[in-house]
Amino acid sequence: MHISISAIIPIYNVSKYIERCTRTLMEQSFQNVEFIFVNDCSPDNSIEILNNTLKDYPHRHPFVKIINNPQNLGLAATRFVGMSEAKGDYVWHCDSDDWVEKDMLQKMYDKAIMEEADIVCCEATKEYTGHSTRCKYDYDKETLENGLLDLAASEVHIAIWNKLIKRDLYTDNNISYYNGINMGEDSALTVRLRYFSKKTVIIHEALYHYNRMNTNSMVRQVSGNLCHQKIELAKQLELFFKDLNEENRFRRLINLYKFDAKQFYLRELKDIKKWKEIF
């Protein structure tokens, strides 16, 4: 059977959240989708909860695959373990502590086909304990000028989880993860994908729920190692634009990533000497 969408869901230490995530995936109104769960050696009982939840959706079983990494690889590499198994025309990456509206994939796919788009983005709701906030786009179609060049990036702009992306966009442009970078790994992909996309369109509906209550999430943790990864990300993106002879055009974007990468040493460690040395 031809698959329209491959949904890739990495699993690591999400026992509190995986049931809710899985149910919103299995109850999608869109049917022509495969679900690829990748267990990155999760130390808790996330996979047991996943398997028990899947029992309630036998009609989905032929289109569900669970892959077990032989060792912990980190989020970026784990996503591409799933990518190696993906057969869909479009790919969607979902974080396993988040959840989605049940018509998300139907609306995203319909928009992609109608617009002949390489990337379809939706808006999102950031979910905190006791309250939530809306993440919006202020345009209907994204170009390099209003996207990568105006530096108005927020979580919803740089995230991978709110984007339905043509699988060919990855394969035709040799886009994969940067080894060892798990902090800012979404930017590592979306900057390059948005650069190559011939058409990126927006759905002005908050179809994705971004969980900010998970204190185990990597985005909630700050360390010297993670900041080193962000520094490496800035270097890799600079090399990406240099190889395209687009370094000057995207200099302000490159500098933004450099500034963001080094600010930890000033803000958290108060190490002005180290801050001056970087870049």
Side-chain angles (χ1 to χ4, degrees), residues 108-120:
M108 300 279 275
Y109 184 76
D110 288 349
K111 186 77 166 178
I113 297 303
M114 181 178 67
E115 297 275 2
E116 298 182 341
D118 288 335
I119 301 176
V120 177

Side-chain angles (χ1 to χ4, degrees), residues 94-112:
C94 179
D95 287 351
S96 52
D97 54 351
D98 298 335
W99 68 99
V100 298
E101 295 296 309
K102 294 176 183 178
D103 56 356
M104 176 179 177
L105 292 182
Q106 186 71 62
K107 287 182 174 179
M108 300 279 275
Y109 184 76
D110 288 349
K111 186 77 166 178

Side-chain angles (χ1 to χ4, degrees), residues 83-264:
M83 284 287 292
S84 69
E85 298 289 331
K87 299 178 176 63
D89 297 327
Y90 289 82
V91 173
W92 170 54
H93 295 278
C94 179
D95 287 351
S96 52
D97 54 351
D98 298 335
W99 68 99
V100 298
E101 295 296 309
K102 294 176 183 178
D103 56 356
M104 176 179 177
L105 292 182
Q106 186 71 62
K107 287 182 174 179
M108 300 279 275
Y109 184 76
D110 288 349
K111 186 77 166 178
I113 297 303
M114 181 178 67
E115 297 275 2
E116 298 182 341
D118 288 335
I119 301 176
V120 177
C121 313
C122 70
E123 296 180 344
T125 304
K126 285 200 286 188
E127 303 285 356
Y128 299 90
T129 302
H131 73 284
S132 61
T133 60
R134 177 80 173 265
C135 300
K136 298 180 179 181
Y137 287 85
D138 58 4
Y139 47 77
D140 298 325
K141 288 185 172 64
E142 183 173 275
T143 63
L144 295 182
E145 284 68 30
N146 68 13
L148 294 180
L149 289 172
D150 76 350
L151 307 187
S154 68
E155 285 108 333
V156 75
H157 293 87
I158 63 178
I160 197 73
W161 34 254
N162 69 322
K163 295 173 177 63
L164 187 68
I165 300 169
K166 232 177 200 178
R167 186 159 60 92
D168 288 350
L169 202 60
Y170 287 93
T171 56
D172 291 352
N173 298 292
N174 297 313
I175 294 176
S176 186
Y177 66 99
Y178 291 135
N179 190 39
I181 297 178
N182 289 295
M183 186 65 177
E185 79 287 344
D186 280 23
S187 295
L189 294 176
T190 59
V191 167
R192 291 177 289 162
L193 290 164
R194 290 152 70 199
Y195 175 83
F196 287 118
S197 174
K198 293 182 177 64
K199 191 172 188 181
T200 299
V201 298
I202 313 301
I203 295 177
H204 293 289
E205 294 183 60
L207 302 175
Y208 193 94
H209 295 268
Y210 176 34
N211 180 6
R212 299 288 287 169
M213 297 172 281
N214 182 5
T215 56
N216 292 320
S217 171
M218 183 169 288
V219 298
R220 305 282 292 180
Q221 303 170 31
V222 180
S223 71
N225 178 51
L226 294 182
C227 289
H228 173 76
Q229 292 178 36
K230 293 183 76 171
I231 291 167
E232 186 60 30
L233 169 61
K235 291 178 181 178
Q236 292 293 339
L237 290 178
E238 183 171 37
L239 286 174
F240 168 73
F241 287 116
K242 276 185 177 179
D243 288 344
L244 294 166
N245 293 318
E246 292 269 42
E247 180 187 3
N248 290 335
R249 184 183 184 192
F250 290 92
R251 173 50 57 193
R252 291 179 68 239
L253 178 67
I254 294 166
N255 287 344
L256 176 66
Y257 275 90
K258 287 183 174 182
F259 178 80
D260 178 64
K262 65 187 282 185
Q263 66 174 317
F264 166 79

Side-chain angles (χ1 to χ4, degrees), residues 11-17 42-44 46 214 216:
I11 307 288
Y12 186 82
N13 209 22
V14 286
S15 59
K16 289 175 61 177
Y17 309 104
S42 185
D44 63 1
S46 293
N214 182 5
N216 292 320

